[in-house]
Amino acid sequence: AQSVTQLGSHVSVSEGALVLLRCNYSSSVPPYLFWYVQYPNQGLQLLLKYTSAATLVKGINGFEAEFKKSETSFHLTKPSAHMSDAAEYFCAARKTSYDKVIFGPGTSLSVIP
Amino acid sequence: DADVTQTPRNRITKTGKRIMLECSQTKGHDRMYWYRQDPGLGLRLIYYSFDVKDINKGEISDGYSVSRQAQAKFSLSLESAIPNQTALYFCATSEQGPYTGELFFGEGSRLTVL
């Protein structure tokens, strides 16, 4: 069965520092991959998605992610953290466009002033 | 107004009570989903529906049932609530057909079972 893992349930960074949130997937074929963000007391919203058009994907709010097939990874980065980036981040995957979406356990990002 | 609306947003109930969580959407999407969020476990799929006549079990359907009353409405029921069903529940929608799978979420329904 396909699974999604996120290394680190909680990550803290200083304001202005690099944000790196890790995601690995298990799949025999490159899946569709997503990053969602959940701000406090809100539902999830899409940050970015990989659909095989390009390995480096740019999303909203300055985030980007790189798909690396050899590492089965889809890590999320942002060059400079803002206080407003504090949230829960979820990596998700689906094997085909008709499959269900499987979510990772999430990483809570704290940004220290 | 939100595209995906969940009611109630918060509910406290007692063990053994029947609870219904409702979801309505104005996005015109055919596919609707119910997820459950628990700390450290991410979101787990309870049920999903690809159209009004198509309802499918997800990873954790035991103890839950659903009803798709119309394209825009998808309800989740707990027939006899138990404490380990205390969680944050999300309804989501997505488009039909070959698509890249973006889900659109409601703001969640927080359920506490005492």
Side-chain angles (χ1 to χ4, degrees), chain A residues 40-94:
Chain A
N41 299 314
Q42 295 185 26
L44 283 73
Q45 59 183 276
L46 185 70
L47 263 182
L48 50 80
K49 60 187 178 186
Y50 166 75
T51 59
S52 77
T55 57
L56 183 62
V57 181
K58 294 187 183 299
I60 61 173
N61 301 335
F63 284 94
E64 62 181 36
E66 185 173 8
F67 171 69
K68 292 187 176 181
K69 182 178 178 181
S70 61
E71 299 177 7
T72 61
S73 69
F74 190 56
H75 301 332
L76 182 71
T77 60
K78 182 174 180 178
S80 176
H82 294 169
M83 296 298 294
S84 59
D85 294 327
E88 187 90 16
Y89 292 82
F90 293 94
C91 184
R94 75 192 316 151

Side-chain angles (χ1 to χ4, degrees), chain A residues 38-44, chain B residues 2 4-12 20-23 34 87-91 105-112:
Chain A
Q38 182 183 26
Y39 297 106
N41 299 314
Q42 295 185 26
L44 283 73
Chain B
V4 183
T5 303
Q6 294 183 229
T7 56
R9 293 291 312 280
N10 289 283
R11 181 72 182 270
I12 299 173
M20 178 181 286
L21 305 179
E22 299 184 327
C23 177
W34 275 104
L88 184 57
Y89 292 85
F90 285 104
C91 176
F105 286 85
E107 294 189 325
S109 295
R110 185 170 296 281
L111 176 66
T112 302

Side-chain angles (χ1 to χ4, degrees), chain A residues 34 36 38 49 90 94 97-98, chain B residues 37 90 98-101 103:
Chain A
F34 311 85
Y36 284 85
Q38 182 183 26
K49 60 187 178 186
F90 293 94
R94 75 192 316 151
S97 61
Y98 293 95
Chain B
Q37 183 181 17
F90 285 104
Y99 62 100
T100 52
L103 294 168

